[in-house]
């Protein structure tokens, strides 16, 4: 059974940094691209970034480009999101999501339960 | 970016009713459109991929159709467990985008 468990969410001041992690199990991690998708509580879903099976970042949403960095460690079955220069607009639940394909089809057959990031002074 | 417009934004229907949600894309996405279900406090779950294909393990009362810019999602006989928000998502053109969601409640 596929399990994705996010961690690292916190209350952080504007301008600070935060690193999210996602631990994956139940599937061959390096056979799939992975993504981060976020959701402001009570609102819709926004794709943030994706990374191919061999750790090549695929793309970033314009709203995070230049501030966020996606990475993965296949030896540890883990996905990461380094978030710098955080602003209140980054407040959201961040979901780790598994792609259906190795290089990224950009749709998601499994999501984790999410980790909440709150950016506030 | 491709904009997806879902309608209605919310609906209330009785158990056993047929429920249909539509999703209109701002440009042609072929059949590269999926439907997700999100229950309160839970992660999204993939129900339908490539417009009309049922994800493994998903009940057959869920279905999807459409191509190009007009898509629909149907629950043939609404059940209490179907209380959720449903989102369409396109992946034809990057970045992938989601519709605004349709909240489905039981009357």
């Amino acid at each position: 059974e596929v399990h994705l468990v996010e961690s690292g969410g916190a209350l952080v001041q504007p301008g600070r940094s935060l690193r999210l992690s996602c631990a994956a199990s139940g599937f061959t991690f390096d056979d799939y691209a992975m993504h981060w998708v976020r959701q402001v509580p009570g609102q819709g879903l926004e794709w943030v970034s994706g990374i191919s099976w061999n750790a090549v970042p695929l793309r970033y949403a314009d709203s995070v480009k230049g501030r966020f960095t996606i990475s993965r460690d296949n030896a540890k079955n883990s996905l990461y999101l380094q978030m710098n220069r955080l602003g209140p607009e980054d407040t959201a639940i961040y979901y780790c999501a598994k792609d259906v394909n190795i290089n990224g089809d950009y749709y998601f057959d499994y999501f984790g339960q999410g980790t909440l990031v709150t950016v506030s002074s | 970016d491709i904009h997806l417009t879902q309608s209605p934004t919310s609906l209330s229907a009785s158990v056993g009713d047929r429920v249909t949600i539509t999703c209109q894309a701002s440009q042609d996405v072929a059949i590269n459109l999926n439907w997700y279900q999100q229950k309160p406090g839970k992660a999204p779950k993939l129900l339908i991929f490539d417009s009309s294909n049922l994800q493994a393990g998903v009940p057959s009362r869920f279905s999807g159709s459409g191509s190009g810019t007009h898509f629909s999602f149907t629950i043939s006989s609404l059940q209490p467990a179907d209380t959720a928000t449903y989102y369409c998502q396109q992946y034809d053109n990057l970045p992938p985008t989601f519709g605004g969601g349709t909240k489905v409640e039981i009357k």
Side-chain angles (χ1 to χ4, degrees):
Chain A
E1 185 182 359
V2 172
H3 273 110
L4 300 169
V5 180
E6 303 91 339
S7 60
L11 170 62
V12 62
Q13 293 180 326
R16 305 298 290 264
S17 299
L18 201 62
R19 190 195 197 207
L20 304 183
S21 299
C22 170
S25 61
F27 64 103
T28 305
F29 185 66
D30 54 9
D31 274 353
Y32 296 93
M34 296 292 295
H35 302 265
W36 289 98
V37 175
R38 69 184 180 182
Q39 183 174 38
V40 174
Q43 297 190 26
L45 298 160
E46 179 189 20
W47 173 84
V48 173
S49 183
I51 189 166
S52 69
W53 69 278
N54 59 351
V56 175
L58 294 172
R59 195 179 175 105
Y60 296 93
D62 287 346
S63 56
V64 307
K65 200 175 298 181
R67 300 187 299 120
F68 289 14
T69 302
I70 191 171
S71 62
R72 65 189 291 165
D73 184 337
N74 289 342
K76 295 182 178 179
N77 286 353
S78 293
L79 175 72
Y80 307 101
L81 186 68
Q82 177 67 42
M83 304 186 294
N84 298 332
R85 303 199 308 277
L86 284 161
E89 68 278 9
D90 298 314
T91 293
I93 300 166
Y94 285 74
Y95 295 102
C96 167
K98 174 185 167 294
D99 198 288
V100 298
N101 211 332
I102 193 166
N103 285 314
D105 272 356
Y106 288 87
Y107 73 91
F108 325 108
D109 55 357
Y110 291 95
F111 289 75
Q113 287 306 300
T115 188
L116 177 62
V117 173
T118 303
V119 184
S120 174
S121 53
Chain B
D1 297 4
I2 292 179
H3 185 72
L4 299 177
T5 303
Q6 285 184 234
S7 63
T9 55
S10 66
L11 67 89
S12 180
S14 300
V15 172
D17 281 355
R18 183 180 183 87
V19 167
T20 297
I21 299 167
T22 64
C23 177
Q24 181 169 341
S26 60
Q27 61 191 75
D28 192 331
V29 298
I31 61 165
N32 298 317
L33 185 121
N34 307 319
W35 292 92
Y36 297 85
Q37 175 192 65
Q38 187 177 32
K39 296 185 177 182
K42 302 294 186 183
K45 175 185 176 183
L46 179 65
L47 298 182
I48 302 286
F49 64 95
D50 293 347
S51 178
S52 61
N53 293 288
L54 199 65
Q55 177 71 350
V58 173
S60 59
R61 65 180 180 274
F62 297 102
S63 64
S65 65
S67 65
T69 61
H70 286 86
F71 299 85
S72 63
F73 171 83
T74 298
I75 306 173
S76 61
S77 177
L78 188 66
Q79 301 300 305
D82 302 335
T83 297
T85 299
Y86 293 85
Y87 295 94
C88 57
Q89 179 240 334
Q90 69 81 24
Y91 61 98
D92 186 73
N93 195 283
L94 300 181
T97 51
F98 293 86
T102 297
K103 188 174 184 179
V104 174
E105 297 178 321
I106 302 293
K107 201 180 287 185

